[in-house]
Amino acid sequence: MALIGSRADQWDSYPATLAALGDAADALGLALRVRYVSPQRLEPTLKALDEVDGVLLPGGSAMANVAGQIAVARDTLLRGIPTLELCLGMQTMATAALQQLASLRAASLAEADPAAPVKTFVPLCQPALTGVHRSGRLSLHSQPGTLMAALLGESRPLHYNHSYQFNPLLNEALTQTGIRVSALGGEGTVVDAIEASDGRFWCGVQGHPELGSRQDAPHPLVTALLRRAAGEE
């Protein structure tokens, strides 16, 4: 499994993602080997992703990681590698998909590139969301017929901590790339999850499922990633 982050960050600064992978691997009886891939030190060919069975793009606040995360998300989509993206990972995933369109090649996150001609993620500013920040345990509402619904049910609480949302003006463009919105939050106004519409396991959530994982109850999204990576349906 490729975990897109430095070993120091994943062990010392924020070990929850690594722990969630361990919880899922133990529950499934899988021998897990983690390859740490720094998004700031990628080779142009992304050789670090060769011979990996799955990829997890974690969250974080380092905007220096964004370009590398976008490159990884683009590559895993093209290669068909099972991939799960969390928080910032979902934001870079959606951006990678949109950049496939000729008119959106230079699109990027407003937080990472304020000068980008098109912003894929913009500040939260909706009155129903209590200011401009979403945090705590909030409900993720899956769309019918999606992988997210199959894994999490119609509604499931998830930990959130973010102040940017997917640009709603780009919903149609996202669909054109073969990626669909699979869950909504904020009274149905905020994109909380996206996934490949062809059934591949290439999906992301704006929240933090790793914070809801326990040794005796791994999070279903992380478990599903490892199942797909192991060749199970």
Side-chain angles (χ1 to χ4, degrees):
M1 180 66 56
L3 181 54
I4 311 305
S6 70
R7 190 180 192 280
D9 285 345
Q10 301 306 313
W11 273 81
D12 302 329
S13 299
Y14 189 79
T17 306
L18 186 60
L21 282 170
D23 291 341
D26 288 347
L28 295 172
L30 294 175
L32 177 67
R33 289 191 299 168
V34 176
R35 177 179 295 178
Y36 300 95
V37 179
S38 171
Q40 299 183 41
R41 298 179 180 178
L42 293 173
E43 296 181 16
T45 60
L46 273 72
K47 184 178 179 180
L49 300 185
D50 292 349
E51 300 180 359
V52 301
D53 299 309
V55 172
L56 197 153
L57 271 163
S61 58
M63 292 299 104
N65 290 338
V66 166
Q69 286 200 336
I70 290 174
V72 168
R74 182 188 304 117
D75 193 71
T76 60
L77 178 60
L78 292 174
R79 296 197 203 191
I81 301 173
T83 304
L84 175 63
E85 296 95 346
L86 315 177
C87 196
L88 181 64
M90 191 203 90
Q91 296 180 15
T92 54
M93 169 197 197
T95 302
L98 288 167
Q99 287 180 353
Q100 297 179 100
L101 302 177
S103 61
L104 296 175
R105 293 274 192 260
S108 191
L109 287 65
E111 188 177 12
D113 184 3
V118 178
K119 311 297 193 300
T120 55
F121 280 77
V122 296
L124 282 164
C125 57
Q126 301 186 29
L129 298 179
T130 311
V132 294
H133 193 240
R134 296 176 77 211
S135 62
R137 283 174 62 84
L138 306 172
S139 292
L140 176 149
H141 302 289
S142 302
Q143 299 297 288
T146 62
L147 176 63
M148 205 61 58
L151 294 174
L152 301 182
E154 181 179 341
S155 179
R156 185 185 181 98
L158 197 64
H159 292 272
Y160 288 85
N161 182 30
H162 66 106
S163 54
Y164 285 79
Q165 65 170 329
F166 182 71
N167 186 342
L169 298 178
L170 298 177
N171 283 353
E172 184 177 344
L174 186 66
T175 301
Q176 293 173 15
T177 71
I179 307 302
R180 64 183 175 184
V181 173
S182 54
L184 296 168
E187 298 183 356
T189 58
V190 177
V191 173
D192 270 349
I194 60 176
E195 64 185 48
S197 56
D198 61 5
R200 284 179 291 173
F201 194 95
W202 197 80
C203 60
V205 290
Q206 181 65 79
H208 291 274
E210 72 277 13
L211 295 178
S213 179
R214 299 291 181 268
Q215 188 172 18
D216 59 345
H219 197 279
L221 286 177
V222 183
T223 301
L225 170 65
L226 293 192
R227 284 187 183 279
R228 286 294 183 98
E232 302 177 13
E233 290 297 329

